Amino acid sequence: MRKVPQPVVVVTTCKPEDPSYRRGITVASFTSVCLHPEPLVSFCVRVPSRASQLLHSSGSMVLNMLSHEQVQQSVVFSSPSADQFKDIPFFDDPMTGLPVLSGTVGAMHCEAYKVIELGDHEMWITKVIRVEEGVGGEHGVREEAKPLLYYDRGYRSVGDQVFMKAFTEGDGTLDTTKWTHRAHLRLAWNYIRELGPDAAEPVIKKTIQSHFKRDAKKSQSYNETITMFYIALVSAAMRSYKEYENDFFALVERYPELLDPKTIETYYSPKVLHTEKAKHEFVEPDLRPLPETL
């Protein structure tokens, strides 16, 4: 199945009694089930999860088909953060109150038809009630949008190519405010996967330095030691569990310390990390050695 491209879909829903409580989840398991006697589609959700609980509570959801420009949305909704919709364009559907993402290829408004428990996932078979094509906003459309695809255990055919282009060429696909710690980890993961740790190291550093130069507020923020530390941490995670080395989202889910900004503090003391020397050249950790595996 890794060679079968899948559309990237964000399933959104909300509490029936409190539409302001919203959740979304990125899925790459969306597929059509049948058209007659009624249109059914399916997707899978990991359990236990807050998204699963809310879907059971609501019984209704919107399946948002992401466009090739919505890499950031796929990243945001693959994370269990509390405020997923912050800075994400969306609107509440006037008929159902369900959140609908803006700028997508399209959206399917669905109701639960049947839920099947399968191992650590649930398969949701849902009935399509209404379809919107080219959802550009509450009153606009974007019919020219191309879909974001999931391929070969990662965003290969569209997603990671677009994501990497945003970093390397600064084409505006990924807003500078979205160049988060998670995004930098994903950048490192892409290069390590393609080039190997040793060859990837100078490329990662050069790319991050270039991206900092494009943002005046961050131009002085590059830190050689922090960059090298997280390159080592991502490499260690990929060596630890080969099954996940080609799936960034599964990797950070299995090793949450990658996303924890305090992880570096268990390797470096402040007196070593926060120095001019550490900023301009790599300094070995003083609390414990860099990990070979996690």
Side-chain angles (χ1 to χ4, degrees), residues 5 54 223:
L54 191 55
N223 186 297

Side-chain angles (χ1 to χ4, degrees), residues 31-41 108 125-128 131:
T31 189
S32 172
V33 176
C34 67
L35 185 59
H36 301 290
E38 50 192 354
L40 301 178
V41 296
M108 293 184 179
I125 300 175
T126 63
K127 181 169 66 174
V128 180
V131 176

Side-chain angles (χ1 to χ4, degrees), residues 274-288:
H274 303 303
T275 63
E276 283 299 309
K277 182 178 181 180
K279 183 175 182 179
H280 297 291
E281 63 181 80
F282 175 67
V283 175
E284 292 284 350
D286 60 326
L287 299 182
R288 56 174 172 152

Side-chain angles (χ1 to χ4, degrees), residues 264-270 284-289:
I264 195 170
E265 297 175 6
T266 66
Y267 290 84
Y268 288 90
S269 65
E284 292 284 350
D286 60 326
L287 299 182
R288 56 174 172 152

Side-chain angles (χ1 to χ4, degrees), residues 41-59:
V41 296
S42 71
F43 59 89
C44 293
V45 177
R46 184 183 294 273
V47 289
S49 67
R50 284 182 287 182
S52 171
Q53 293 175 353
L54 191 55
L55 284 168
H56 279 284
S57 172
S58 172

